[in-house]
């Protein structure tokens, strides 16, 4: 664990709570207030079975911290806010969240998600009590996502590769595991935590699932939440650049699994191109071009990602 200082703020319901499920919400420069208020609408029906644990991973915004403390104090759900002085990263931050969690099961939920079902938390609590799964993923949707034209390419990408029903996800269960809507039983995390060797953006949750799936069953259900934080093409390209080293790490750790993925096959094929740097620039330019149809731009961006990964493997 890093030397980052942590300020801890609990609301009045925290001390005496005996939760079944702990909802773990990391954020960095995002505002989780809308998510908190929506989750709190279920408080009466949950009857103390859920707590919220938030981690500000080094945003450094005193005004945001003060406002969130006031929001948390007004919640009916028991809640804790942990505010770090420095950024620890996605893997370390999520590992730190689990230290404060007291439930039998933990629901990792990103701060830019918006549950689609008004009984979202109740469905998770019922599943934890009834089936006690080791790992369960609830799924993504775009049901409530913004329809701004600048996010059209991300909508197309996400709709094709991430927003799939449980039956399809279950065919390759370790591949469709994201910490944006993920239930994990406490004892499972005792065997496998997130690898702090992953830094920057992406792949730390999929790699964790690869390890976990060797010991435990990974279950998929349809209890989706909308990913509200869609990105522009420029932002997505930057994230793909940042994620290249993480992809290479996954390939090194789990070659037999990753070699079956289309992203790996595409990267290997592109690696043989003698003019890969030029091709990568052309792919990015095509993805950025507002003159091209959205489906063409989305394909170009997928190819750009594969070209970036090709340099890393």
């Amino acid at each position: 664990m890093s030397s980052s200082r942590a300020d801890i703020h609990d609301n009045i319901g925290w001390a005496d709570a005996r939760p079944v499920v702990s909802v773990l919400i990391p954020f960095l420069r995002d505002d989780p207030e809308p998510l908190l208020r929506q989750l709190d609408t279920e408080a009466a029906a949950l009857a103390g079975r859920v707590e919220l644990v938030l981690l500000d991973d080094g945003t450094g915004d005193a005004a945001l911290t003060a406002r969130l403390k006031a929001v948390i104090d007004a919640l009916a759900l028991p809640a804790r806010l942990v505010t770090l002085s420095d950024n620890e990263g996605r893997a370390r931050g999520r590992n730190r969240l689990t230290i404060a969690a007291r439930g039998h099961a933990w629901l990792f939920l990103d701060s830019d998600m918006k549950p689609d079902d008004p009984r979202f938390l109740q469905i998770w609590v019922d599943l934890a009590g009834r089936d006690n799964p080791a790992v369960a993923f609830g799924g993504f949707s775009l049901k409530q996502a913004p329809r701004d034209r600048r996010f059209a390419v991300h909508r197309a990408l996400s709709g094709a590769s991430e927003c799939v029903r449980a039956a399809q996800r279950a065919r390759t269960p370790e591949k469709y595991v994201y910490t944006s809507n993920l239930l994990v039983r406490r004892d499972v995390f005792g065997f496998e935590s997130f690898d702090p060797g992953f830094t920057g953006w992406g792949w730390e949750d999929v790699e964790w699932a690869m390890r976990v799936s060797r010991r435990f069953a990974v279950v998929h259900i349809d209890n989706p939440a909308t990913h509200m934080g869609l990105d522009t093409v420029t932002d997505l390209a930057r994230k793909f650049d940042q994620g290249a080293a993480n992809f290479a790490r996954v390939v090194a750790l789990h070659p037999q699994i990753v070699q079956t993925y289309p992203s790996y096959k595409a990267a290997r094929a592109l690696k043989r191109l003698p003019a890969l740097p030029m091709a990568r620039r052309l792919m990015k330019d095509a993805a950025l071009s507002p003159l091209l149809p959205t489906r063409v731009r989305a394909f170009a961006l997928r190819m750009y990602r594969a070209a970036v990964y090709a340099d890393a493997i």
Side-chain angles (χ1 to χ4, degrees):
M1 197 65 68
S2 79
S3 59
S4 177
R5 298 188 308 278
D7 175 75
I8 297 175
H9 179 82
D10 301 335
N11 69 3
I12 195 170
W14 177 267
D16 296 329
R18 298 294 181 268
V20 174
V21 173
S22 300
V23 183
L24 308 183
I25 306 172
F27 64 96
L28 175 64
R29 293 185 291 274
D30 289 326
D31 184 356
E33 180 178 350
L35 174 61
L36 299 180
R37 294 197 181 280
Q38 181 173 355
L39 296 178
D40 203 49
T41 62
E42 296 191 58
L46 292 170
R49 293 177 293 170
V50 169
E51 68 178 5
L52 308 179
V53 187
L54 291 90
L55 178 78
D56 181 343
D57 195 10
T59 298
D61 186 335
L64 175 64
T65 300
R67 179 163 56 80
L68 287 178
K69 286 180 178 180
V71 170
I72 285 172
D73 287 343
L75 296 179
L77 290 172
R80 163 171 285 186
L81 171 64
V82 180
T83 305
L84 300 183
S85 60
D86 303 298
N87 177 257
E88 292 191 339
R90 291 161 59 95
R92 289 183 184 275
R94 286 175 172 84
N95 287 341
R96 184 190 276 270
L97 270 168
T98 66
I99 297 172
R102 300 173 296 179
H104 170 71
W106 304 333
L107 177 63
F108 290 93
L109 187 63
D110 281 354
S111 61
D112 59 358
M113 302 299 283
K114 187 173 184 180
D116 291 343
D117 195 304
R119 298 184 66 256
F120 175 77
L121 290 179
Q122 295 172 68
I123 291 170
W124 279 124
V125 169
D126 290 346
L127 180 72
R130 182 183 67 248
D131 298 338
N132 194 30
V135 180
F137 182 63
F140 282 152
S141 89
L142 294 169
K143 182 178 179 181
Q144 306 172 80
R147 293 188 172 273
D148 306 39
R149 180 172 174 76
R150 60 195 173 119
F151 301 134
V153 173
H154 195 174
R155 284 186 66 92
L157 279 178
S158 187
S161 62
E162 296 175 339
C163 300
V164 295
R165 300 297 297 269
Q168 181 177 340
R169 286 185 262 123
R171 296 172 193 164
T172 49
E174 86 291 334
K175 180 180 179 181
Y176 292 99
V177 171
Y178 310 103
T179 48
S180 51
N181 185 15
L182 180 69
L183 189 77
V184 181
R185 203 172 62 212
R186 173 183 286 272
D187 65 291
V188 173
F189 216 76
F191 289 101
E192 301 288 356
S193 60
F194 294 111
D195 181 353
F198 285 86
T199 58
W201 181 85
W203 290 98
E204 78 285 342
D205 41 13
V206 176
E207 189 279 331
W208 174 85
M210 291 175 182
R211 284 183 278 122
V212 167
S213 64
R214 295 170 180 166
R215 295 173 179 257
F216 303 97
V218 177
V219 174
H220 287 271
I221 70 168
D222 288 315
N223 186 25
T226 296
H227 179 206
M228 300 297 292
L230 297 182
D231 289 314
T232 64
V233 172
T234 300
D235 289 336
L236 282 174
R238 184 173 62 251
K239 287 182 175 181
F240 294 158
D241 293 341
Q242 293 172 352
N246 283 355
F247 180 74
R249 185 173 178 83
V250 176
V251 172
L253 292 171
H254 308 279
Q256 291 184 329
I257 297 177
V258 181
Q259 286 170 14
T260 67
Y261 288 5
S263 55
Y264 177 84
K265 294 177 181 178
R268 291 293 298 177
L270 288 173
K271 194 173 183 68
R272 293 191 284 269
L273 283 179
L276 180 58
M278 180 183 296
R280 187 169 57 243
R281 287 195 298 272
L282 292 173
M283 294 167 189
K284 186 175 183 179
D285 288 343
L288 288 167
S289 174
L291 301 178
L292 294 175
T294 297
R295 66 181 183 279
V296 175
R297 297 175 67 195
F299 176 75
L301 190 58
R302 284 197 297 271
M303 296 305 293
Y304 174 75
R305 177 177 58 191
V308 169
Y309 288 172
D311 276 341
I313 59 175

